């Protein structure tokens, strides 16, 4: 871990002195957004993404209505996502892989945008990591006391359109683990779990009674409830194109640039290979099921649910990093110099990738003609 910490310290040594320069760059904080939250009735009539929109409502009405404070909710949710992401990697791999994988995810342009936008897309990233956290806890016999947290997470996930599918499929596939945790838990933990789940679901039930049309939104299907086979097929076909050409939405992305850089894509391929040859089959199945369900949700709702796929992609990239280090250490099992050189080269690659994403997000995207044009139109 020493060489890894040293390389990442050099990154901080570059970023901190140049903090004012980053702040002076054109920022998406200046882009207009309409949160459409005026009073409690607005929240009750639309409970979708309530864990985020509820906090934004409180900030607007009882705190500061500045854009920076409104978007601070997304920053907090993104930080929580990154912490959970690190915890999962630390639970699955070594501390070194957890640090490097979390840095790769946190420095990506996609993550940076979600963290600095008031849009609810950040909740999809948090939902994906929360589901994987539940998977990790269910696989451990010593995590019986986590049952109330699992119940609370399940209840909150229902506020994110389409996530009911992940909850139900997860419970069905992990029913033995869920039942085992339930039987191992004390009566007090069971009652606490039920109460937390019901408490989390109470605003949603009230919202559905007040405005039943919200049920369609919660299911993650089009607002009119009609599924167009051609649109569904096009959404599925366009998924690979999102990683090659990026999003065709200047408001969110630097157009005609891929979401993944070459290094990350290469690590993802290696990570898929690692799971393909039998490394950690349980984790591999969990990631595969989540990826399939995400594709289903994207096919119904377009690229809005793409945030669900990003943590999975970067977990695969972290797996690739882990396999690369494992193979390198196998070649030099007792040569610390050679081992540190391998780690140093890998860290250097991450520094280059991080610099590329920082410049793409903070410099190239705000200065792009298409971005400026869209912002001017919105204003």
């Amino acid at each position: 871990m020493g060489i890894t910490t040293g390389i990442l310290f050099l990154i901080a040594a570059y970023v901190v002195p140049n903090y004012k320069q980053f702040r002076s760059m054109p920022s998406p904080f200046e882009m207009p957004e309409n949160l459409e939250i005026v009073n409690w009735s607005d929240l009750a009539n639309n409970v979708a993404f309530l864990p985020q929109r509820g906090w934004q409502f409180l900030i607007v009405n009882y705190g500061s209505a500045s854009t920076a404070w409104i978007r601070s909710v997304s920053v907090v949710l993104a930080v929580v996502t990154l912490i959970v992401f690190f915890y999962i990697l630390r639970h699955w791999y070594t501390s070194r892989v957890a640090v490097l994988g979390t840095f790769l995810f946190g420095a990506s342009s996609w993550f940076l945008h979600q963290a600095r936008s008031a849009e609810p897309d950040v909740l999809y990233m948090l939902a994906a990591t929360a589901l994987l956290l539940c998977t990790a806890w269910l696989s451990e016999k010593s995590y019986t006391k986590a049952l109330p947290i699992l119940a609370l997470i399940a209840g909150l996930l229902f506020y994110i359109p389409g996530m009911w599918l992940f909850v139900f499929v997860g419970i069905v596939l992990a029913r033995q683990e869920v039942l085992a945790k339930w039987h191992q838990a004390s009566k007090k933990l069971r009652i606490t779990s039920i109460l937390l789940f019901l408490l989390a679901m109470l605003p949603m039930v009230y919202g559905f009674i007040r405005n039943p049309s919200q049920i369609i939104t919660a299911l993650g299907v089009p607002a009119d409830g009609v599924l167009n086979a051609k649109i569904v097929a096009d959404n599925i076909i366009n998924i690979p194109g999102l990683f090659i050409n990026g999003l065709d939405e200047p408001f969110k992305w630097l157009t005609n640039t891929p979401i993944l850089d070459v290094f990350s894509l290469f690590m993802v391929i290696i990570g898929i290979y690692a799971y393909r040859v039998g490394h950690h089959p349980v984790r591999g199945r969990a990631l595969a099921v989540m990826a399939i369900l995400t594709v289903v949700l994207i096919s119904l709702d377009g690229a809005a649910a793409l945030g669900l796929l990003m943590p999975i992609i970067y977990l695969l990239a972290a797996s690739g990093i882990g396999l690369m280090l494992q193979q390198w250490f196998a070649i030099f099992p007792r040569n610390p110099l050679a081992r540190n050189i391998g780690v140093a080269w890998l860290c250097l690659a991450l520094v280059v990738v991080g610099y590329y994403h920082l410049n793409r997000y903070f410099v190239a995207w705000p200065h792009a003609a298409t971005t400026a044009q869209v912002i001017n139109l919105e204003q």
Side-chain angles (χ1 to χ4, degrees), residues 125-205:
M125 291 198 306
L126 180 56
T129 53
L131 283 168
L132 290 168
L133 176 66
C134 294
T135 302
W137 280 349
L138 286 174
S139 63
E140 296 291 338
K141 296 181 179 179
S142 59
Y143 282 94
T144 304
K145 293 183 178 180
L147 190 63
I149 301 177
L150 296 177
L152 180 62
I153 291 174
L156 293 176
L157 285 175
F158 279 95
Y159 289 95
I160 305 174
M163 293 309 299
W164 64 272
L165 181 62
F166 290 77
V167 174
F168 281 116
V169 171
I171 291 175
V172 171
L173 294 180
R175 57 189 180 279
Q176 294 182 350
E177 291 81 359
V178 173
L179 289 174
K181 289 287 185 294
W182 181 260
H183 292 308
Q184 293 170 6
S186 63
K187 183 178 180 180
K188 182 179 179 180
L189 282 177
R190 295 180 189 177
I191 295 175
T192 303
S193 301
I194 295 174
L195 290 177
L196 285 176
F197 179 78
L198 294 177
L199 185 63
M201 292 294 294
L202 188 60
M204 172 168 281
V205 174

Side-chain angles (χ1 to χ4, degrees), residues 37-90:
I37 306 175
V38 179
N39 50 48
W40 289 105
S41 297
D42 295 324
L43 287 177
N45 290 328
N46 183 13
V47 296
F49 304 110
L50 187 63
Q52 181 187 26
R53 294 174 67 250
W55 283 110
Q56 290 174 337
F57 169 79
L58 293 176
I59 289 174
V60 170
N61 288 274
Y62 302 102
S64 172
S66 67
T67 306
W69 276 104
I70 294 171
R71 298 185 181 184
S72 65
V73 178
S74 296
V75 175
V76 172
L77 292 174
V79 170
V80 173
T81 299
L82 211 58
I83 293 173
V84 176
F85 188 86
F86 174 82
Y87 178 86
I88 294 170
L89 286 181
R90 183 62 188 88

Side-chain angles (χ1 to χ4, degrees), residues 1-315:
M1 275 292 291
I3 186 68
T4 306
T5 305
I7 295 294
L8 296 180
F9 176 79
L10 292 178
I11 300 172
Y14 166 75
V15 172
V16 173
N18 293 278
Y19 175 69
K20 291 185 178 180
Q21 179 183 356
F22 283 121
R23 288 197 61 182
S24 64
M25 295 175 182
S27 167
F29 274 104
E30 301 166 1
M31 297 193 304
E33 285 170 331
N34 182 13
L35 296 178
E36 298 180 353
I37 306 175
V38 179
N39 50 48
W40 289 105
S41 297
D42 295 324
L43 287 177
N45 290 328
N46 183 13
V47 296
F49 304 110
L50 187 63
Q52 181 187 26
R53 294 174 67 250
W55 283 110
Q56 290 174 337
F57 169 79
L58 293 176
I59 289 174
V60 170
N61 288 274
Y62 302 102
S64 172
S66 67
T67 306
W69 276 104
I70 294 171
R71 298 185 181 184
S72 65
V73 178
S74 296
V75 175
V76 172
L77 292 174
V79 170
V80 173
T81 299
L82 211 58
I83 293 173
V84 176
F85 188 86
F86 174 82
Y87 178 86
I88 294 170
L89 286 181
R90 183 62 188 88
H91 191 76
W92 287 356
Y93 304 102
T94 63
S95 297
R96 180 182 286 112
V97 173
V99 170
L100 296 178
T102 303
F103 172 80
L104 185 63
F105 180 43
S108 65
S109 302
W110 180 272
F111 181 88
L112 292 173
H113 177 76
Q114 303 305 326
R116 301 186 72 203
S117 170
E119 299 295 324
D121 295 355
V122 66
L123 280 179
Y124 281 113
M125 291 198 306
L126 180 56
T129 53
L131 283 168
L132 290 168
L133 176 66
C134 294
T135 302
W137 280 349
L138 286 174
S139 63
E140 296 291 338
K141 296 181 179 179
S142 59
Y143 282 94
T144 304
K145 293 183 178 180
L147 190 63
I149 301 177
L150 296 177
L152 180 62
I153 291 174
L156 293 176
L157 285 175
F158 279 95
Y159 289 95
I160 305 174
M163 293 309 299
W164 64 272
L165 181 62
F166 290 77
V167 174
F168 281 116
V169 171
I171 291 175
V172 171
L173 294 180
R175 57 189 180 279
Q176 294 182 350
E177 291 81 359
V178 173
L179 289 174
K181 289 287 185 294
W182 181 260
H183 292 308
Q184 293 170 6
S186 63
K187 183 178 180 180
K188 182 179 179 180
L189 282 177
R190 295 180 189 177
I191 295 175
T192 303
S193 301
I194 295 174
L195 290 177
L196 285 176
F197 179 78
L198 294 177
L199 185 63
M201 292 294 294
L202 188 60
M204 172 168 281
V205 174
Y206 174 75
F208 286 172
I209 295 174
R210 185 184 179 94
N211 182 14
S213 63
Q214 297 184 77
I215 299 176
I216 299 297
T217 303
L219 293 176
V221 299
D224 56 7
V226 178
L227 297 179
N228 188 308
K230 185 178 184 304
I231 294 178
V232 171
D234 289 342
N235 287 336
I236 296 176
I237 294 173
N238 290 335
I239 292 176
L242 294 174
F243 294 94
I244 298 174
N245 300 318
L247 295 174
D248 188 20
E249 301 178 27
F251 191 80
K252 293 184 177 181
W253 194 255
L254 181 61
T255 55
N256 299 321
T257 60
I259 292 179
L260 293 180
D261 55 90
V262 175
F263 175 82
S264 299
L265 181 60
F266 185 59
M267 289 298 105
V268 170
I269 294 173
I270 295 177
I272 293 174
Y273 169 77
Y275 283 110
R276 180 69 181 82
V277 296
H279 290 260
H280 313 295
V282 176
R283 301 175 198 167
R285 285 194 294 270
L287 292 175
V289 170
M290 282 193 62
I292 292 172
L293 293 178
T294 301
V295 170
V296 172
L297 193 57
I298 292 175
S299 69
L300 299 175
D301 198 30
L306 188 62
L308 279 170
L309 202 56
M310 300 311 294
I312 300 173
I313 293 294
Y314 279 96
L315 281 171

